[in-house]
Amino acid sequence: MTITLPPLPYEMTALEPYISANTLSFHYGKHHQAYVTNLNNLLADAADKSLATLSLEEIIKASARKPDMVGIFNNAAQVWNHSFYWNCMKHNGGGEPSAAFKARLEEAFGSFEKFCAEFKQAAVTQFGSGWAWLVKDQEGKLKIMKTGNADLPMAHGETALLTCDVWEHAYYLDYQNRRPDYVDTFLKHLINWDFVEQQFAQ
Ligand code: MN3
């Protein structure tokens, strides 16, 4: 099947003043679109024609850790990562999750503040391009992880609940080199906790 760019789940201005319409228009309209275009071109050129019949998730799992499929993996994972990231944010987001989910974070990390600190630490210390995540592991335990470039929890058997894009293109127009300020703003003003809790419940 042809992989398509999913619609952005809100207006380009929805995340202002924290993420500008300018950033979103480049990030969604240029970067995310380019991963979709590249992936479709690579699938069309691939020797294995069965790949083009798979879903995006199936393509990611089939290409993970295969040295001859790095380009397909990188572009497929980046299509998925960005679609997931858009859903992790909303207008007037951030703050605290529901009491029930907050209790799960407290159980896993000690307090909501410690969860925020650990997530920020992962996001700030990811060297170069990548992603910070809250995941549910195979035992159902909540964990923080960070991944480089296009890598993602799905390739490690874990379920993504929340992600923050820490590639420079995600924040440079609004925050220049101040990745810690971008991550603080993501936690305080952007997270869509309803979406995170839906991922946990699945
Ligand atoms: Mn990005």
Side-chain angles (χ1 to χ4, degrees):
M1 70 185 75
T2 302
I3 302 297
T4 54
L5 182 68
L8 198 61
Y10 31 69
E11 300 293 317
M12 287 285 177
T13 54
L15 305 180
E16 290 192 335
Y18 309 113
I19 291 179
S20 65
N22 191 30
T23 288
L24 263 193
S25 69
F26 277 98
H27 199 179
Y28 171 75
K30 303 290 185 194
H31 290 275
H32 197 183
Q33 176 66 64
Y35 295 124
V36 171
T37 302
N38 291 342
L39 176 60
N40 284 316
N41 289 339
L42 288 165
L43 291 173
D45 292 345
D48 181 354
K49 294 300 172 199
S50 70
L51 280 171
T53 67
L54 303 179
S55 69
L56 182 61
E57 287 79 4
E58 290 168 334
I59 293 167
I60 292 168
K61 287 173 183 166
S63 60
R65 286 179 296 280
K66 303 258 176 70
D68 58 333
M69 295 176 73
V70 170
I72 288 176
F73 174 79
N74 283 341
N75 284 283
Q78 285 293 79
V79 172
W80 193 94
N81 288 341
H82 284 88
S83 300
F84 192 83
Y85 169 65
W86 308 135
N87 281 305
C88 286
M89 299 184 287
K90 67 172 186 178
H91 180 67
N92 283 335
E96 295 191 354
S98 72
F101 196 74
K102 188 181 175 192
R104 292 190 185 278
L105 292 173
E106 288 166 348
E107 186 187 5
F109 301 103
S111 68
F112 179 71
E113 290 69 29
K114 283 183 181 162
F115 154 75
C116 290
E118 200 173 316
F119 187 89
K120 180 180 176 183
Q121 176 73 4
V124 169
T125 60
Q126 169 56 39
F127 186 78
S129 295
W131 302 81
W133 306 86
L134 173 67
V135 304
K136 182 167 71 170
D137 74 10
Q138 286 166 0
E139 281 83 51
K141 191 169 177 294
L142 295 181
K143 292 192 319 192
I144 303 288
M145 69 186 284
K146 56 185 176 182
T147 59
N149 299 318
D151 195 18
L152 72 177
M154 191 190 304
H156 304 273
E158 307 199 305
T159 303
L161 305 181
L162 170 69
T163 196
C164 183
D165 187 344
V166 297
W167 286 58
E168 275 191 349
H169 67 225
Y171 60 87
Y172 207 85
L173 294 176
D174 296 326
Y175 297 87
Q176 292 75 52
N177 61 320
R178 292 176 286 113
R179 190 192 290 185
D181 292 353
Y182 157 67
V183 177
D184 278 336
T185 302
F186 178 85
L187 288 160
K188 284 194 191 108
H189 299 291
L190 292 170
I191 295 177
N192 180 350
W193 283 112
D194 291 339
F195 176 76
V196 176
E197 294 182 42
Q198 283 163 18
Q199 304 315 300
F200 180 80
Q202 278 174 12

